[in-house]
Amino acid sequence: MKKWGNFHTTKGMKNLPNILTIGRLLTLPLLVMLMMIDTSWAAWSALALYTLGCITDWLDGYLARKYKLESNFGKFLDPIADKIFIATVLICLIANGHLSGWLGITSVLLILSREFLISGLREFFGPKNIQFPVSKLAKLKTGIQMFALGFLIMGQYGVDTLAWNIEIGYTLLIAATILTVMSGWAYMKEGIKHL
């Protein structure tokens, strides 16, 4: 049994990447609370917590690969945690008014629908030993989406620092939504082949 620090690599939950993933989920109630408080300090605090979540999202995968800390528990939890994290932020952005109008709501619906679609494909084809690895297009979509949500979390409170804050957020979200549809369609075509 290999060890990295005080964490076992073969014990499902007791390794650093999994702890980072669980930690990301545990911050969500605080992130929701901060996003629903309509003040500048809350917006900046929410952005800091969101940024920390994005960093741990990258870091848990990096550590798991580099130090061979991969586990079945991590493979199961990490993609779910990512989806819950993003879905929570998107719903809060609609609830607090930072995302509004047909464009904002349509983007959220398309992003969430794509996540459900991919999860469904992986769940259906998993027992058949058919994998759907993350594509480069999906990784690009995730990166742009993370930046978009950061700008949108700040909303009007970011305008004092960056005049075009809201416009940048919406533009990046539109780009992420287009990539969401494209990558979702690519996954769907692959799934149809196996059907």
Side-chain angles (χ1 to χ4, degrees):
M1 182 185 304
K2 294 180 182 178
K3 287 188 176 183
W4 189 72
N6 292 323
F7 301 100
H8 300 281
T9 61
T10 57
K11 297 284 184 185
M13 292 184 357
K14 196 179 177 185
N15 72 37
L16 188 55
N18 291 344
I19 289 170
L20 290 172
T21 301
I22 293 167
R24 188 161 67 254
L25 288 175
L26 293 177
T27 64
L28 284 177
L30 179 58
L31 180 58
V32 169
M33 184 185 76
L34 289 168
M35 287 182 69
M36 300 312 291
I37 298 172
D38 192 13
T39 65
S40 179
W41 71 264
W44 282 105
S45 300
L47 179 63
L49 196 57
Y50 169 76
T51 302
L52 182 63
C54 292
I55 291 168
T56 62
D57 178 27
W58 171 81
L59 189 59
D60 60 21
Y62 172 79
L63 290 175
R65 288 186 299 273
K66 179 163 183 169
Y67 295 102
K68 299 186 179 7
L69 295 171
E70 291 154 326
S71 67
N72 288 333
F73 180 78
K75 288 177 186 174
F76 157 76
L77 185 64
D78 186 57
I80 292 172
D82 296 345
K83 288 171 178 47
I84 292 171
F85 187 74
I86 294 300
T88 300
V89 172
L90 287 169
I91 291 166
C92 284
L93 287 171
I94 289 177
N96 68 13
H98 288 208
L99 257 180
S100 59
W102 70 269
L103 186 61
I105 292 170
T106 301
S107 295
V108 170
L109 287 173
L110 287 170
I111 289 168
L112 293 181
S113 296
R114 183 257 189 204
E115 298 304 337
F116 285 122
L117 171 70
I118 303 308
S119 295
L121 283 172
R122 287 183 173 139
E123 184 177 336
F124 179 77
F125 286 108
K128 299 171 176 38
N129 206 27
I130 297 170
Q131 303 295 316
F132 289 87
V134 179
S135 67
K136 288 181 181 176
L137 188 63
K139 287 180 181 178
L140 178 62
K141 179 270 303 179
T142 299
I144 293 173
Q145 181 178 270
M146 284 182 167
F147 277 104
L149 297 185
F151 285 103
L152 293 170
I153 284 170
M154 288 306 299
Q156 63 184 2
Y157 296 109
V159 173
D160 292 338
T161 305
L162 184 62
W164 295 88
N165 179 71
I166 296 170
E167 290 80 2
I168 292 170
Y170 268 91
T171 302
L172 289 174
L173 186 66
I174 291 166
T177 303
I178 292 167
L179 293 174
T180 292
V181 172
M182 290 170 61
S183 64
W185 177 243
Y187 282 119
M188 192 64 191
K189 284 197 300 185
E190 190 64 27
I192 290 169
K193 282 183 194 174
H194 294 293
L195 287 172

